[in-house]
Amino acid sequence: MASDLIIGMVGSGGDGVVSAGEALMAAAAAEGYHVVLTKSFGSQIRGGESSCRVRVSTEEVLSSGGTLDVLVVLSWEDFLKFGAELPVGGHTTIIYDGKTGAAEQIPLSSVTPAEVLAVSIGEMAKQAAGTDKAKNTVVLGLLAGWVGIGREAIVANLRKKFAKKAPDVVAGNERAFAAGLAYAEAHALHGTRVMAAARADDRKLLVIDGNSMCAAAAIFAGCEFFGGYPITPSTEIMQFLDRELWKYGGTVLQAEDEMAGVGAAIGASFGGKKSMTATSGPGMSLKTELLGLASIAEIPLVCINVQRGGPSTGLPTKSEQADLFQAIFSGHGDCVRPIVAPVSVADTFAVTVEAFNIAEAYQTPVIVLSDQEIAQRKETVRPIDTQAIRLLERRQPTASELAHYERFRLTESGVSPISRPGVPGGNYLASGIEHNECGAPSASGEVHARMTAKRVKKLDALKQRRDLFLLEGDPDAPLGLVAWGSVAGAAREALRLARAEGLRVKLLVPKLLYPVAEAVYEDFFESVQTGLVVEQSFQGQLHRVIRMYVNVPAGMGSLAKSGANPIVAGEIVDQLRTLSLNLQRRRVPDLQPVE
Amino acid sequence: MTTNVGAQAIESYTTKDYRSALTPIWCPGCGDFGVLSAIYRALTNIGRPPHEIAFVSGIGCSSRIPGYTTAYGFNSVHGRALPIAQGIKLANPDLLVLVAGGDGDGFSIGGGHLPHAIRRNLDLTYIVMDNQIYGLTKGQLSPTSPQGLSTVTSTYGSLEAPVNPLSYVLGYGAGFVAQGTPADMVGLEALILAGIRFPGFAFINVQSPCVTFGQPELQLKAHKAMLKRLDALGHDPTDRVRALTLAQDYGKELYVGMFYQAPTPAPTYGALVRTRQERLRGQARPKERILEMFAPA
């Protein structure tokens, strides 16, 4: 019996493989399995290639995983467009629609899958439902038979899904499911793929995607204004808020462009409301000047960047972690803005709330670097205890402070009380031009020096936030891993696999990427002789940023790759083994980035 | 620049209450002094305490103006005054929100925001100090500079036809379109006052000459001689088509007064927002339980 199974499905846009993945996930979650669902598409609006991966486990799932255990192919032509996003290995079972190509034409080079099975999926759909549109339902029947998930739940969900359609649509799909199931029961696989039973207490898992989680967290944190412009892969944040935020007395503005979206959010925050904007790389480029305005005018603001491949239009539908340099360095002038990054859908809640807390407490824009992988994948998530989360509000002036109000008064923490329009006596001028303590514009070098120091130093306190780092593994390990964002999931998985093999390794996952908390890294690196910074950017951006601030052990290398193809646990473990062997031979490996 | 005026229980205000301690950076004789003065007077007439006013601007000589008032000011970045002002108004609908800037701010770098501010129709008053030149950066071509104008960035004369702000905003569907000049202070104050009172987006183009880099023949003295009052011409400000025809003379004639004022103003975006919020308010699930919507059915 399997306790962890990765199922991939691929076909053309109309084949419905993604909705099959959704249905499989819903059924598995209802049965108490932990599930991660990722989808991948070409950029076509309709049609084109589409695929999904469903990872089902009896334990918490940390990443969408590597090599597939089961692959369902409705079209080999579409399969080829995904490359390493749908990796096939020696243990993969492949089920394909016999119509998409003869066995000898299967385009798999240099790998012999465990089992390759042609099934007349399209024919079965036509016979059962009168249309090959029901192909995906046949697939669900096949999987229910071979994997053992969703025998009841899938049919029940089908009935709900097609409730508003003609009765024969429901009946046709039920027959298609039954046909798939019957086929699977009559044709056993060589190696079993049946899932072990899930834990009963996990039946309360939520099913949610990263973007919805981010938006829900914003509402929980007290966000009352969202201004933004639709852009893939962040748009679901705006869509969720447009459905929900109004109910809480908030406002959603679909602005005319990215600058107007963030500008309106800055205005709303100046007006006293917790505010947010969300975008992806190209939008971040456009918003840059206004983020600088929020920094100098000390306006709280949360800015979500769901990273995709870049530069320019790049890979709009695929994940990459290559906007870290941009997040840190894109503004002109001496300016620090906090950057945080979630490591999973579940973690997106806490990290988004944290972004609001930092923005409000320190009166600064905060960038949340999510990525397409986290933002658009669906995860099963344990219910979150929101009672335990503290929400911070901006420090408002007291009555006595209002009697002689100085908006940018120098304080020990660098944070000055912030007024808002409507408050008598709190009147001030917010400005992008340098200003003195009272808010009056100034071109004085002295004023500029002390206000710059105020704005930079107020954020130093964040470096003490060790709770914004995950630390796992052997504290004295000579092998160190550092990873962030969605790739942290693969790194955590790799850590477990490597330790199970007896490697002495530890992992540091920064959720606070900037300012760089030097002491946290220095403590981590104390025992480290060799290791890897793992990230999905060609240049190894985090690795280079850490090296700007911290004395990193010479033996620390990079596992850095550009986007789309995910970094998986297996390749991290492979490299850890090599590093460990080199260590035993007392040799330090080369520092070249590893492709 | 702070003021405590708002904290006191003053029932009526004088222009002094809206004047901040900052000294304007403008050149002596700049048209913007007249605009500032007209704003002080209009605000006095309205009588809202300064802390209930937000005054937003972008970048340019004229964009310094919020700092010269005691209102809550926001001197933002080039071209983005309108989005920021809309955010402020949406966050805090009871505020009186003024927006000001120059022709470069409003029609060039920020030109993309103007049609959207107009179609969104928040209750804002947008005062553009149009001087057909970039004064703060010392005399470059502006989007309203006349074709052929020689400047430091159009050494051999500008090749481009100028923007016509009046026909733009009329074409975009603004419900309130006026033009004034500090050469007619009474008229200018009345237009600003009417703009503030108008329930929706009000646009006031002020021909505010640049005394240092502007055309010498187009200074305030010349304005006095050349201005033509629209009411004296018998223009009916509810006649949008006639207003569009008159607007074609931008750059040739100096019409002052009301080009167009919608006789029955459309509901403001702010009002629509509040209606929606109230309609949906009962449907909110407690924030701390928001994730329950993702529980399996």
Side-chain angles (χ1 to χ4, degrees), chain A residues 30 78 133 140 155 231 287 326 361 371 419 444 536 550 566 573:
Chain A
D78 290 317
K133 272 190 186 168
L140 287 168
V155 173
I231 181 168
K287 288 182 197 291
Q326 180 200 44
D371 56 50
S419 179
S444 143
Q536 206 173 22
V550 181
V573 176

Side-chain angles (χ1 to χ4, degrees), chain A residues 59-215:
Chain A
E59 304 294 328
E60 188 190 358
V61 181
L62 295 173
S63 80
S64 54
T67 310
L68 301 168
D69 297 304
V70 177
L71 169 64
V72 180
V73 180
L74 296 182
S75 153
W76 284 113
E77 196 186 324
D78 290 317
F79 167 78
L80 288 173
K81 293 179 184 153
F82 287 100
E85 288 179 74
L86 296 170
V88 171
H91 69 276
T92 309
T93 299
I94 297 181
I95 301 149
Y96 72 99
D97 190 336
K99 253 187 113 178
T100 180
E104 61 276 13
Q105 295 171 322
I106 292 174
L108 288 173
S109 53
S110 73
V111 60
T112 311
E115 194 170 351
V116 182
L117 210 63
V119 182
S120 307
I121 296 171
E123 280 306 310
M124 285 163 72
K126 263 186 219 156
Q127 278 179 20
T131 166
D132 76 348
K133 272 190 186 168
K135 271 194 288 197
N136 56 353
T137 311
V138 173
V139 168
L140 287 168
L142 291 170
L143 292 175
W146 283 322
V147 175
I149 290 174
R151 279 169 183 263
E152 281 86 39
I154 284 176
V155 173
N157 288 342
L158 275 174
R159 286 188 188 133
K160 260 186 261 171
K161 184 179 168 187
F162 293 119
K164 284 184 186 149
K165 299 214 170 177
D168 60 318
V169 175
V170 181
N173 274 285
E174 282 188 39
R175 284 196 299 274
F177 182 83
L181 184 59
Y183 185 92
E185 282 172 346
H187 302 77
L189 296 177
H190 293 321
T192 178
R193 293 299 186 185
V194 175
M195 279 296 292
R199 283 206 305 261
D201 59 339
D202 278 336
R203 291 189 182 223
K204 290 275 159 60
L205 297 174
L206 310 173
V207 176
I208 180 167
D209 61 283
N211 277 337
S212 297
M213 187 63 112
C214 172

Side-chain angles (χ1 to χ4, degrees), chain A residues 160 205-208 212-213 216 219-220 222 225 240 244 246-251 253-257 259-260 263-264 266-268 270-271 273 289-290 293 299 349 384 386-387 402-403 405 419-433 438 440-441, chain B residues 1-4 6-7 22 50-54 64 66-67 70-78 80 83-88 90-92 95 112-114 116-117 119-120 269 273 276-277 280-297:
Chain A
K160 260 186 261 171
L205 297 174
L206 310 173
V207 176
I208 180 167
S212 297
M213 187 63 112
I219 290 178
F220 171 74
F225 187 89
F240 181 98
E244 298 296 327
W246 300 99
K247 300 176 187 170
Y248 297 88
T251 305
L253 183 76
Q254 180 176 331
E256 57 271 24
D257 59 35
M259 290 89 81
I266 289 170
F270 170 76
K273 308 287 190 195
E289 188 191 13
L290 281 134
L293 173 66
I299 308 271
F349 194 86
I384 292 169
T386 52
Q387 303 288 337
L402 283 173
Y405 185 52
S419 179
R420 64 177 163 76
V423 173
N427 312 35
Y428 74 98
L429 178 71
S431 64
I433 196 165
C438 297
Chain B
M1 90 123 262
T2 59
T3 175
N4 300 311
L22 295 182
H51 69 263
E52 293 178 4
I53 303 166
R64 290 295 192 109
T70 52
Y72 276 88
F74 203 145
N75 184 180
S76 71
V77 289
H78 206 13
R80 315 294 164 221
I84 289 170
Q86 291 171 77
I88 294 173
L90 284 168
N92 212 333
L95 295 175
H113 302 304
L114 188 53
H116 303 282
R119 75 186 170 90
R120 227 168 260 139
Y269 188 88
V273 160
R276 174 179 296 178
Q277 287 165 342
L280 295 173
R281 197 175 280 274
Q283 299 177 24
R285 138 196 339 251
K287 281 182 190 174
E288 59 280 6
R289 286 171 41 203
I290 189 161
L291 290 178
E292 286 175 15
M293 75 172 80
F294 297 100

Side-chain angles (χ1 to χ4, degrees), chain A residues 207-364:
Chain A
V207 176
I208 180 167
D209 61 283
N211 277 337
S212 297
M213 187 63 112
C214 172
I219 290 178
F220 171 74
C223 176
E224 288 186 81
F225 187 89
F226 179 91
Y229 188 83
I231 181 168
T232 303
S234 80
T235 311
E236 295 85 2
I237 295 173
M238 186 197 283
Q239 290 172 183
F240 181 98
L241 289 172
D242 186 56
R243 290 194 302 275
E244 298 296 327
L245 191 59
W246 300 99
K247 300 176 187 170
Y248 297 88
T251 305
V252 176
L253 183 76
Q254 180 176 331
E256 57 271 24
D257 59 35
E258 294 279 0
M259 290 89 81
V262 65
I266 289 170
S269 181
F270 170 76
K273 308 287 190 195
K274 290 186 181 179
S275 301
M276 179 166 110
T277 186
T279 188
S280 186
M284 281 300 287
S285 299
L286 290 165
K287 288 182 197 291
T288 301
E289 188 191 13
L290 281 134
L291 290 172
L293 173 66
S295 284
I296 196 168
E298 303 193 49
I299 308 271
L301 174 78
V302 172
C303 178
I304 313 286
N305 174 7
V306 180
Q307 297 170 95
R308 65 192 220 188
S312 188
T313 306
L315 280 73
T317 57
K318 307 273 169 91
S319 205
E320 193 163 72
Q321 296 180 302
D323 293 355
L324 180 62
F325 283 173
Q326 180 200 44
I328 300 172
F329 303 120
S330 66
H332 61 279
D334 258 337
C335 174
V336 171
R337 59 190 166 214
I339 300 163
V340 290
V343 300
S344 65
V345 174
D347 192 43
T348 300
F349 194 86
V351 167
T352 305
V353 172
E354 187 61 57
F356 275 95
N357 280 347
I358 294 171
E360 296 293 318
Y362 295 92
Q363 298 171 24
T364 176

Side-chain angles (χ1 to χ4, degrees), chain A residues 494-511:
Chain A
L495 181 86
R496 289 173 197 195
L497 293 169
R499 293 183 74 203
E501 289 181 15
L503 298 182
R504 287 181 62 223
V505 55
K506 62 180 178 178
L507 166 69
L508 182 70
V509 175
K511 298 183 193 180

